[in-house]
Amino acid sequence: MDHSEGGRSTLEFDLCIIGAGPAGITIAREFANANVRVCLLDAGGLTIEREVKDLSRAEDVGRLPGSEDRHRVRAFGGSSNHWGGHCAPLEPDDFEKLDWIHHSGWPHGFDELRPFHVRAHDVLGLGEFDYDPESVGAKLGYKTFPFDPTKIKSTVSRYNRVRFAPTYGDELNNAPNIKVILHADVSDIQLEEAASDKVAHVLVKTIAGNEFHVAAKCFVVSSGAMENARILLMSNQQRPAGLGNHSDLVGRFYQEHLWHSSGCIVPRTERPDLKFYFNEWPLGDIGVRAHIAMPANMVRELRIPKYRSEISAVSVAFRTAEAIQLGVTMSDVVALISDPVGLGTVLACRSESIPTAYLLMNHVEQIPNPDSRVTLSNQKDAFGRPQPRLNWQLSRLDHEGVVRSQRAIAQEVGRSGFGRVRIELGEDDDTFLQRAFGVGHQMGTTRMDNDPALGVTDGNAKVHHTDNLYVAGSSLFPRCGWPNPTLTIVATSIRLADHLKTQFRADGLL
Amino acid sequence: MSEKSPLMNRRLFVGGGIVLAVATLYMGAVGRGALKACGEVRGNAELPPDVQPLIQIGKAHLKDLARKGEPAMLNDVFLDARVLNSDDIVGAVQRRLLALDRESQDEFERGETVIVDGWVLAKSEARFCAALALRAERYNPLIA
Ligand SMILES: Cc1cc2nc3c(=O)[nH]c(=O)nc-3n(C[C@H](O)[C@H](O)[C@H](O)COP(=O)(O)OP(=O)(O)OC[C@H]3O[C@@H](n4cnc5c(N)ncnc54)[C@H](O)[C@@H]3O)c2cc1C
């Protein structure tokens, strides 16, 4: 039933979802054709529009200012409109509380999320839930690196660039219980009254200048990690610090995956059988590719954040950006490590073959850092709302983790007789800070913890000190590991949908 | 080990309070004297130009050692240069490379590695290359 109040009309639903990216669309689909009235609001339309995009603009004051702007898409389908489709599930130790990583530990373990990762696989059309590099490699006839798996392990990623808008738009449109409203930008979340924990409605603004309310029994904020924090902070009329910000945690622990080249592996001999690592390869309808990572025992031993590296094969003629200072080239090292039975091999190696190097393109976890945060800027958007202000910061351990991982890789590459490694990382933090950039995986601004003093949301993704306000997406992640986030975003969203179904059942709605 | 052993060289370097640039060390009186005392500069066969890549690594390693002030390791290099004390220099390099293959894997196992210009190498690999660089500098300045 829709009604008007204070000049603004109010649309009434059971469930209001704010943001139609992979998280919001997944939750809405879970309720398709059910006896629950769902409203899915998105600030954008079906295409990217400049006027709408400008509403996402952030004041970017941390490292690499300006880089954030590229990442978010304010349009139906969210960033799935331009994502890479690269998927892998989190690993068991990503959920653990580790004494060398402050603020680590999820409120639930790997096993709890496992069935949801499997269900998320279907949503993302990723085929069989098989992440064993040997088994996937065998299907393609490709080998994996001959390293001791307790020193360097291989991982496998699956790729499917599902665009959520075209893939699931019709299904949502055809579901009689779901109303999708585009160009509906949520500007405020309002409680029944200041003393209440119950959200009554959200205020929606449109670029055409209209405003209306959406009232519901339950609300889910699924607008991406930057906007989730922004919306909670902006909703400060009744609670001056914003919703969920009782412990000054909303917007903190902003994380990205750090992407940078760290050096190269030079094999003793050409290894064409290792091409599983160098490209995405078709497997049925999807792509698969192997990477290398630090196994859990090494992560513990080295006391580092989680580490994965992608590998690109480059010719020896390739020179990395950082100048080789003392003039030792790849040919020199290949000459040293080539089959040393005779000097002739050294000569042949020098003159004939074009040795290949495997460039290490790291994709590593950023550890949670309370100073890395999203706050509200003094600058305003076209609706007069504060822009988000991003102060992205890294920690010393982010740098050290990569340095220690490189050394461990170099050790194993040499020990196994495979070849040698050149590390192209400065010893100092500065070089690293200049070269590591983010890849559009924004995470961690509404961290989950069952203790309200330590989290914005609880283990069910409910905002602490509210009765009916939930968050979905990677802003929930207390730690992110190395896996690209969207498979886990979809998994946690399905888990949240299941939890909401239980609530609705208890209320006699389902 | 006599008073003129590498141990003495180490003392000399440390006692001198400085570690000079490697070329100076080697070509200068102190360095040459020390090497002669070890009997390391007898052979006069020329190194084949194709060991240039190894010499490149060696030169970089020597520069590093000098820059970091590691005279003890420099002495190890001088000791290593003994294997090159042969008229059959190609054979000597071949034999050493063959042995290095096994040694270096063991050294990697034990974590005994050095970083030369970013390259993570077994200590004895880098040392051998450095010895080659010294040898090249002594007998074939054109290569060095
Ligand atoms: C270039 C690029 C490549 C990527 N590649 C990969 C990859 O290969 N693998 C991977 O796992 N991840 C990848 N990602 C990340 C992935 O795209 C995101 O993790 C994912 O899209 C997040 O889903 P989401 O639903 O939480 O948020 P989003 O996709 O950000 O969707 C949020 C939605 O909320 C809407 N919204 C925002 N504010 C409001 C508001 N106030 N009111 C109403 N609606 C609002 C937006 O319009 C948007 O539709 C990539 C990202 C980028 C930028």
Side-chain angles (χ1 to χ4, degrees):
Chain A
M1 174 134 0
D2 302 347
H3 61 270
S4 242
E5 192 184 291
R8 290 187 184 117
S9 59
T10 299
L11 310 179
E12 284 199 11
F13 293 90
D14 298 314
L15 174 61
C16 171
I17 302 168
I18 304 160
I25 288 178
T26 298
I27 296 171
R29 286 186 67 235
E30 284 291 316
F31 287 94
N33 305 310
N35 187 29
V36 172
R37 295 166 304 153
V38 178
C39 176
L40 177 59
L41 302 168
D42 200 277
L46 291 175
T47 55
I48 295 173
E49 298 148 281
R50 169 136 306 279
E51 208 180 340
V52 172
K53 184 175 162 40
D54 283 350
L55 296 167
S56 287
R57 186 163 291 162
E59 187 194 356
D60 200 349
V61 298
R63 58 187 310 273
L64 305 181
S67 60
E68 191 282 329
D69 226 23
R70 294 192 303 267
H71 295 321
R72 285 171 299 143
V73 175
R74 211 175 183 86
F76 184 58
S79 295
S80 78
N81 287 300
H82 69 169
W83 77 315
H86 183 166
C87 295
L90 287 173
E91 302 189 298
D93 57 339
D94 293 327
F95 296 84
E96 288 169 11
K97 191 158 185 56
L98 306 173
D99 62 27
W100 66 94
I101 298 185
H102 294 311
H103 314 287
S104 55
W106 284 56
H108 54 73
F110 169 80
D111 291 341
E112 163 70 24
L113 209 55
R114 180 72 173 192
F116 300 104
H117 268 135
V118 175
R119 282 166 67 184
H121 235 237
D122 279 345
V123 175
L124 291 162
L126 290 167
E128 198 185 348
F129 196 87
D130 183 1
Y131 286 90
D132 174 34
E134 269 75 33
S135 119
V136 178
K139 286 179 188 144
L140 296 165
Y142 298 153
K143 293 225 157 33
T144 51
F145 277 114
F147 301 139
D148 174 350
T150 67
K151 303 287 184 199
I152 304 175
K153 72 171 183 178
S154 289
T155 68
V156 81
S157 296
R158 303 174 82 94
Y159 299 76
N160 191 19
R161 293 168 183 78
V162 178
R163 308 282 179 238
F164 275 67
T167 308
Y168 295 120
D170 283 348
E171 180 186 335
L172 295 174
N173 224 11
N174 295 334
N177 64 320
I178 297 177
K179 190 176 182 89
V180 180
I181 310 180
L182 301 182
H183 292 119
D185 203 310
V186 171
S187 296
D188 196 12
I189 301 174
Q190 292 166 349
L191 301 168
E192 279 181 342
E193 54 192 69
S196 166
D197 284 346
K198 194 160 181 195
V199 173
H201 54 245
V202 295
L203 170 65
V204 179
K205 296 188 176 187
T206 74
I207 42 171
N210 302 321
E211 291 189 6
F212 60 94
H213 286 144
V214 174
K217 295 189 171 65
C218 265
F219 296 82
V220 176
V221 188
S222 51
S223 316
M226 290 270 289
E227 294 292 325
N228 283 355
R230 181 192 187 191
I231 293 173
L232 292 181
L233 291 171
M234 274 191 321
S235 301
N236 55 9
Q237 285 185 24
Q238 292 147 310
R239 293 189 187 165
L243 295 174
N245 203 23
H246 43 276
S247 302
D248 187 27
L249 291 176
V250 174
R252 290 193 188 269
F253 306 107
Y254 175 89
Q255 293 153 61
E256 255 284 11
H257 282 125
L258 305 177
W259 173 256
H260 53 94
S261 73
S262 61
C264 54
I265 298 176
V266 178
R268 184 184 281 261
T269 53
E270 286 287 299
R271 291 296 303 267
D273 55 336
L274 291 175
K275 62 181 177 185
F276 194 12
Y277 296 84
F278 307 144
N279 274 309
E280 265 176 57
W281 300 98
L283 181 71
D285 294 337
I286 63 157
V288 289
R289 181 176 178 179
H291 306 295
I292 60 168
M294 282 286 112
N297 60 298
M298 287 298 283
V299 169
R300 264 195 303 278
E301 188 184 317
L302 300 173
R303 298 172 73 79
I304 54 173
K306 295 296 288 291
Y307 173 94
R308 177 184 76 190
S309 188
E310 301 186 1
I311 290 173
S312 306
V314 292
S315 139
V316 73
F318 180 87
R319 281 280 177 119
T320 51
E322 197 181 322
I324 294 178
Q325 308 208 331
L326 299 172
V328 179
T329 66
M330 264 177 227
S331 316
D332 299 334
V333 174
V334 171
L336 175 67
I337 62 175
S338 301
D339 178 8
V341 170
L343 208 51
T345 320
V346 174
L347 313 186
C349 188
R350 284 267 302 153
S351 55
E352 304 297 334
S353 66
I354 303 167
T356 301
Y358 304 147
L359 196 65
L360 293 164
M361 289 304 302
N362 298 183
H363 180 278
V364 300
E365 172 181 33
Q366 177 189 350
I367 62 162
N369 174 353
D371 297 329
S372 180
R373 75 187 288 202
V374 175
T375 51
L376 295 181
S377 165
N378 291 327
Q379 296 174 23
K380 302 277 195 273
D381 68 9
F383 290 152
R385 305 175 303 188
Q387 288 181 355
R389 182 176 193 271
L390 174 63
N391 185 2
W392 178 28
Q393 295 298 334
L394 301 186
S395 317
R396 177 167 289 274
L397 188 57
D398 293 318
H399 170 238
E400 278 172 17
V402 174
V403 172
R404 286 177 212 165
S405 301
Q406 297 312 292
R407 294 208 180 120
I409 289 171
Q411 215 69 24
E412 176 57 14
V413 169
R415 190 207 62 80
S416 62
F418 183 83
R420 296 289 178 270
V421 167
R422 181 168 202 268
I423 299 178
E424 295 178 347
L425 273 174
E427 291 289 312
D428 59 307
D429 293 0
D430 285 350
T431 327
F432 174 77
L433 289 177
Q434 281 157 17
R435 288 177 42 183
F437 56 93
V439 287
H441 299 171
Q442 305 179 324
M443 300 168 284
T445 54
T446 65
R447 80 184 299 274
M448 282 195 284
D449 197 299
N450 283 325
D451 180 350
L454 301 174
V456 174
T457 47
D458 67 14
N460 288 319
K462 186 169 73 65
V463 175
H464 283 295
H465 303 305
T466 70
D467 288 341
N468 57 344
L469 177 61
Y470 293 82
V471 171
S474 48
S475 65
L476 295 171
F477 299 2
R479 256 186 83 197
C480 60
W482 52 251
N484 305 52
T486 306
L487 178 62
T488 301
I489 289 175
V490 173
T492 48
S493 299
I494 299 172
R495 181 172 178 271
L496 171 56
D498 275 12
H499 174 75
L500 293 174
K501 283 177 195 164
T502 312
Q503 303 285 104
F504 285 133
R505 251 179 236 119
D507 293 348
L509 263 175
L510 268 175
Chain B
M1 213 171 266
S2 79
E3 264 307 282
K4 289 176 183 171
S5 71
L7 211 64
M8 191 195 87
N9 299 342
R10 191 172 311 170
R11 255 187 254 124
L12 264 178
F13 299 146
V14 175
I18 47 161
V19 177
L20 304 169
V22 170
T24 322
L25 263 181
Y26 182 62
M27 301 310 284
V30 173
R32 194 156 48 217
L35 281 178
K36 271 185 186 150
C38 298
E40 276 154 0
V41 284
R42 241 183 33 219
N44 60 3
E46 284 190 9
L47 284 168
D50 297 296
V51 293
Q52 184 65 27
L54 311 187
I55 291 171
Q56 234 11 68
I57 294 173
K59 279 160 67 175
H61 186 42
L62 288 170
K63 266 191 205 155
D64 260 358
L65 293 180
R67 194 159 38 86
K68 290 179 190 156
E70 298 198 44
M73 286 176 72
L74 267 175
N75 280 318
D76 291 343
V77 170
F78 293 146
L79 272 179
D80 227 32
R82 245 190 257 164
V83 297
L84 304 175
N85 175 23
S86 162
D87 285 344
D88 174 19
I89 186 68
V90 174
V93 171
Q94 275 178 327
R95 280 192 298 280
R96 190 66 192 109
L97 276 172
L98 196 62
L100 263 186
D101 199 34
R102 283 190 305 273
E103 262 171 55
S104 55
Q105 239 163 295
D106 290 348
E107 285 177 6
F108 269 105
E109 184 93 56
R110 295 193 297 269
E112 293 171 5
T113 53
V114 286
I115 301 184
V116 181
D117 199 14
W119 292 103
V120 182
L121 305 174
K123 272 189 178 158
S124 50
E125 278 175 342
R127 210 170 62 196
F128 170 64
C129 292
L132 268 180
L134 288 180
R135 179 70 162 63
E137 206 164 308
R138 174 70 182 85
Y139 291 109
N140 195 346
L142 282 179
I143 290 178

